[in-house]
Amino acid sequence: MENCIEVNNITRQYPQFTLKNVSFNVPKGSVVGFIGENGAGKTTTIKAILGLLKDGEGEITVLGEDSRELSSETKEKIGVVFDGLAFPENLNAKQLDRVMKEIFKTWSSDRFFDYVKRFDLPMDKKFKTFSRGMTMRMSIAAALSHGTELLVLDEPTGGLDPVVRSEILDIFLEFMQNENHSILMSTHITSDLEHIADYICFIHKGEIVFTMERNDMLDKHRILKCTDEQLANIDKSDIIGVRKGRFQNEVLTVNALKYPDIPADVPTIEEIMVFYVKEDNR
């Protein structure tokens, strides 16, 4: 399958943090959820993908081009939303439209104003008066309005109420109806990914833990509900993480079939992430 993003063994070293040989792909026509705790390296990796961090080892290609030397034509196909407003606060929607027309040859005012209307955003109100929800909706409207084929999203639904989040996820699903479109979405609201993600890429302490198809990941992992005695009889190599309770223990494993006498539940994406992150302290 053709990949719209390929990240191969990138390393970025900073005084208190290091990305360590990070590798994963975003297949064309797919949604990849990029998960990990705060400080795990999600935003640093995204900045490297966008060519904003050029130093360091490894290679990244985006839509077939080196991320550090993207052509203007390729940049027009990439819609980016970071955790915050990327536009001057003294602008309003109408003024932003005029500015973006000068930046993007493929900018569509009709599409932009359609999203502004659908998101129930004001045309004449300055961005500095916007709530966080309004800010994120405006950023997404702009990101989708210039011939976008690839969306790169860093916490696009963080801090938003469930109704607005649902509305935005519907927009992303609508965007993905075109099989040439792709999304890389970093988020700590993993429940959103259960609705739209095809793949999950999990980063922890600057290293990739796994990249798996979402359904495959949920099919393989199970949470065993066991007593202390049962826990003592589980092979330690089968234990990814343990959550000990007063009356019952929970064990994340990919080998639940080895223990047919122990009840097992299907975990959520969030539960899988938490068990892996807490593995160091188990």
Side-chain angles (χ1 to χ4, degrees):
M1 182 181 295
E2 182 182 355
N3 297 314
C4 65
I5 298 176
E6 295 185 357
V7 180
N8 297 307
N9 297 314
I10 67 167
T11 297
R12 300 290 187 271
Q13 294 185 334
Y14 303 98
Q16 296 181 348
F17 177 76
T18 301
L19 282 181
K20 306 169 190 175
N21 297 316
V22 169
S23 297
F24 67 94
N25 298 323
V26 177
K28 187 176 181 180
S30 72
V31 178
V32 174
F34 196 30
I35 67 171
E37 73 278 19
N38 290 336
K42 300 189 299 296
T43 298
T44 302
T45 302
I46 286 175
K47 287 182 177 179
I49 289 171
L50 296 173
L52 301 177
L53 303 175
K54 299 181 183 294
D55 296 332
E57 302 174 0
E59 298 180 349
I60 304 173
T61 58
V62 180
L63 298 177
E65 296 183 2
D66 188 318
S67 67
R68 289 171 285 197
E69 300 176 357
L70 294 177
S71 65
S72 57
E73 291 81 5
T74 295
K75 289 179 180 178
E76 296 237 349
K77 298 176 183 178
I78 304 172
V80 180
V81 177
F82 278 111
D83 184 14
L85 185 66
F87 311 119
E89 292 184 339
N90 63 331
L91 294 183
N92 59 35
K94 290 180 179 178
Q95 293 167 329
L96 178 62
D97 173 64
R98 291 197 290 270
V99 171
M100 299 299 265
K101 280 181 183 178
E102 300 299 320
I103 297 174
F104 293 102
K105 295 179 181 178
T106 54
W107 180 260
S108 170
S109 296
D110 289 342
R111 186 178 296 115
F112 174 66
F113 287 125
D114 178 59
Y115 281 123
V116 168
K117 183 177 180 181
R118 290 173 65 179
F119 284 145
D120 196 25
L121 294 168
M123 292 286 190
D124 300 309
K125 197 172 183 179
K126 292 185 182 297
F127 297 150
K128 64 182 178 182
T129 66
F130 276 23
S131 67
R132 173 173 172 75
M134 294 167 69
T135 293
M136 294 307 295
R137 283 178 283 175
M138 182 60 71
S139 297
I140 292 168
L144 289 167
S145 299
H146 50 82
T148 309
E149 293 183 9
L150 168 64
L151 272 179
V152 179
L153 310 166
D154 190 18
E155 302 288 354
T157 58
L160 304 182
D161 66 66
V163 174
V164 174
R165 278 170 44 211
S166 177
E167 181 181 6
I168 288 173
L169 293 176
D170 285 343
I171 294 291
F172 294 159
L173 289 172
E174 180 181 301
F175 173 77
M176 290 303 299
Q177 289 179 6
N178 186 321
E179 62 184 15
N180 292 318
H181 291 172
S182 311
I183 296 177
L184 173 62
M185 178 176 169
S186 160
T187 182
H188 66 276
I189 306 176
T190 54
S191 59
D192 289 346
L193 299 178
E194 293 174 359
H195 299 289
I196 68 170
D198 300 297
Y199 298 87
I200 300 295
C201 180
F202 178 24
I203 188 169
H204 174 50
K205 293 184 178 179
E207 297 182 87
I208 299 298
V209 178
F210 62 71
T211 302
M212 301 177 69
E213 289 190 32
R214 181 196 62 186
N215 291 338
D216 191 33
M217 180 191 71
L218 295 175
D219 286 343
K220 286 184 175 181
H221 290 85
R222 289 292 183 272
I223 295 177
L224 301 176
K225 304 294 185 72
C226 59
T227 63
D228 288 341
E229 182 180 358
Q230 289 172 319
L231 175 58
N233 292 321
I234 296 176
D235 190 328
K236 287 183 171 58
S237 64
D238 292 333
I239 298 174
I240 294 169
V242 177
R243 187 158 53 196
K244 301 202 75 173
R246 185 175 178 183
F247 303 107
Q248 181 177 254
N249 304 306
E250 296 181 334
V251 177
L252 183 69
T253 183
V254 294
N255 291 316
L257 293 178
K258 289 174 61 175
Y259 309 97
D261 296 331
I262 302 178
D265 290 343
V266 178
T268 64
I269 296 173
E270 180 175 338
E271 286 176 320
I272 292 172
M273 185 180 78
V274 169
F275 272 105
Y276 273 96
V277 167
K278 290 186 175 181
E279 178 188 4
D280 295 339
N281 300 320
R282 74 169 187 239

